[in-house]
Amino acid sequence: MDNLKITPAPDGVKIQLIGEGPEKAALLKTFNDCAAGSCGCSRDEYEKVASMAVESDDEGITVNVRTKDGETIDPSCITECLDEAGAAGQN
């Protein structure tokens, strides 16, 4: 997905979906499910998450993922999890 940007941050990961598109609703649902503790990903990266803040506006979606102390999240896992959830749409 060309409009998905995943950026490592000092205390976690920042995920941005820029713009509107058919995948926005699916991504927003997936992120909100994960933030509520019902992540459908088969990987265990979710166990490293301390908190997630999901924001949606006319410009897109921003998710700030803060990891537990001493943990890091593999950004490629996020893409894989979105693919598994069927939320990433077609490139």
Side-chain angles (χ1 to χ4, degrees), residues 8-13 43-50 65-75 77-78:
D11 62 348
V13 176
R43 306 263 309 259
D44 65 356
E45 293 292 292
Y46 183 76
E47 295 175 9
K48 300 176 181 180
V49 175
V65 180
R66 190 173 64 80
T67 56
K68 295 176 182 175
D69 289 341
E71 298 286 357
T72 58
I73 292 179
D74 178 1
C77 176
I78 295 167

Side-chain angles (χ1 to χ4, degrees), residues 31-91:
F31 290 136
N32 281 321
D33 288 349
C34 286
S38 59
C39 188
C41 183
S42 65
R43 306 263 309 259
D44 65 356
E45 293 292 292
Y46 183 76
E47 295 175 9
K48 300 176 181 180
V49 175
S51 67
M52 289 178 65
V54 181
E55 300 174 17
S56 178
D57 60 26
D58 292 341
E59 294 182 21
I61 301 169
T62 300
V63 181
N64 288 301
V65 180
R66 190 173 64 80
T67 56
K68 295 176 182 175
D69 289 341
E71 298 286 357
T72 58
I73 292 179
D74 178 1
S76 68
C77 176
I78 295 167
T79 304
E80 289 175 26
C81 288
L82 293 174
D83 287 342
E84 286 178 22
Q90 300 294 322
N91 288 335

